[in-house]
Amino acid sequence: MIVRWSLAELPEVLAEAGIERPFVIASPRWKILDLPHVEWWAEVPSHRLEVPGVADGILAVGGGSAIDTGKYASARSGKPVVHVPTTYSGAEWTTFYGIRSPDRVMQGGGAGALPVAIVYDVGLTLDLPSEVTAGTALNALAHCAEALYVRGHNAEGDEHALAGAALISAALPRVLSEPHDRSARAELLRGAAHAGQALALTGLALAHAMAQALGGRYGISHGAMNALCLPPALEFNRAFVPAEVERFGEAIGGDAVEHSRELALLGGFDRLRDFGVPEADLPAVAEAAAQRAGNLANPRPATPDEVLELLETIW
């Protein structure tokens, strides 16, 4: 993967990736960047785009929705994709994606994208709203936690997970306090990059299964749902992989469950009910989460009844 840390290097990155005629996927707000393109797709997220034949690659700019839409376009067309992430989701490192309609309802997902390069630039994150900052950063933190104990985890993934967790947990409070602190934002972005690498090397577990079931059903923020679902998932997994959960806690500077909950509260995420999730729906959500791949890759998959108990603790 080609990785650069300034948008000024984008022309060089595109040339190195062999892309001369990029199809840009980015919301209208990023037209201020005057990106090279043969066509610009501004509907993000989207499940109905078509990659023009004249394009020889894809350039996706934005948060997780734009990056996933770019990966969807790459997988459908077989063309390489360059990512310019503007949040902390880490989606830019993986070949798999979830695809949503413009009203954010999940339409499905898949794999087979061809990411070839990532360009980070802290300047693109300085005006990110606090809720998006916290949500996507806590999604990245969940990637770090789960990379340490998901089935198939490995030493290289562990290294990135621990580095990312330490950076994210230290930088996020500073960023939320001083949103235009470039140093803190840069630290958070580097933490998210480590988290994305850890995700690509390992995979997802229970917290993400719960978050995906909730987000897919209600069209609510994936980051917010991960912020809420990580603490109970850590508590559940502590019974099966106590050493790995403790390692995560050491990386973030406190008890894994309590400190991750404190970070969620700092980001403004407290209860599921605050997002309009009906209590009566929790059994159906639990059933869906239990069947997701993330739960099946958990150290010990949770049963629907166990997932329900976890959801009830945060409802």
Side-chain angles (χ1 to χ4, degrees):
M1 187 80 77
I2 302 165
V3 180
R4 299 290 186 273
W5 289 89
S6 171
L7 193 63
E9 297 188 63
L10 178 61
E12 177 186 327
V13 167
L14 290 171
E16 190 174 344
I19 299 174
E20 297 179 351
R21 301 177 301 280
F23 173 51
V24 168
I25 296 172
S27 65
R29 66 168 296 198
W30 297 116
K31 294 211 171 181
I32 61 171
L33 298 179
D34 191 27
L35 300 168
H37 62 281
V38 292
E39 192 172 314
W40 189 304
W41 186 273
E43 182 181 84
V44 176
S46 179
H47 63 299
R48 53 194 178 194
L49 84 174
E50 294 291 338
V51 179
V54 68
D56 60 0
I58 296 151
L59 175 59
V61 181
S65 293
I67 300 300
D68 270 18
T69 304
K71 288 189 288 187
Y72 171 59
S74 173
R76 290 189 69 192
S77 65
K79 296 177 181 180
V81 59
V82 172
H83 294 139
V84 181
T86 61
T87 69
Y88 308 103
S89 73
E92 64 273 10
W93 283 92
T94 71
T95 63
F96 51 86
Y97 54 87
I99 197 69
R100 296 174 184 262
S101 61
D103 58 356
R104 307 195 69 81
V105 175
M106 185 63 70
Q107 300 296 310
L114 302 170
V116 293
I118 305 168
V119 177
Y120 294 102
D121 192 309
V122 69
L124 301 179
T125 70
L126 294 177
D127 295 322
L128 201 61
S130 61
E131 182 177 345
V132 179
T133 293
T136 57
L138 290 168
N139 179 28
L141 192 67
H143 291 152
C144 294
E146 297 193 318
L148 292 170
Y149 53 70
V150 68
R151 295 185 185 186
H153 72 93
N154 54 71
E156 187 179 358
D158 286 1
E159 181 180 347
H160 284 295
L162 293 170
L167 287 166
I168 293 165
S169 61
L172 181 57
R174 292 164 53 207
V175 169
L176 293 177
S177 175
E178 297 289 341
H180 289 88
D181 182 335
R182 290 186 70 96
S183 175
R185 286 274 186 189
E187 187 175 321
L188 190 57
L189 197 57
R190 288 189 179 273
H194 279 294
Q197 286 176 277
L199 168 64
L201 288 163
T202 56
L204 305 173
L206 175 58
H208 269 83
M210 295 164 63
Q212 289 167 339
L214 287 160
R217 186 180 181 97
Y218 303 105
I220 48 183
S221 163
H222 182 62
M225 293 302 96
N226 267 294
L228 291 176
C229 292
L230 179 59
L234 286 167
E235 186 68 73
F236 178 85
N237 281 313
R238 183 144 55 186
F240 308 105
V241 284
E244 286 76 6
V245 172
E246 184 176 350
R247 287 177 80 194
F248 176 70
E250 291 171 353
I252 65 174
D255 177 80
V257 176
E258 291 307 316
H259 197 46
S260 62
R261 185 175 289 123
E262 289 166 5
L263 289 170
L265 287 170
L266 186 65
F269 308 117
D270 187 8
R271 306 175 303 184
L272 272 180
R273 70 180 76 177
D274 299 333
F275 293 87
V277 177
E279 187 176 18
D281 286 4
L282 295 183
V285 174
E287 187 72 39
Q291 296 174 17
R292 296 196 69 91
N295 181 51
L296 299 179
N298 205 56
R300 201 272 273 163
T303 67
D305 285 345
E306 288 170 332
V307 177
L308 178 58
E309 289 180 12
L310 299 178
L311 291 171
E312 287 173 340
T313 67
I314 57 174
W315 186 79

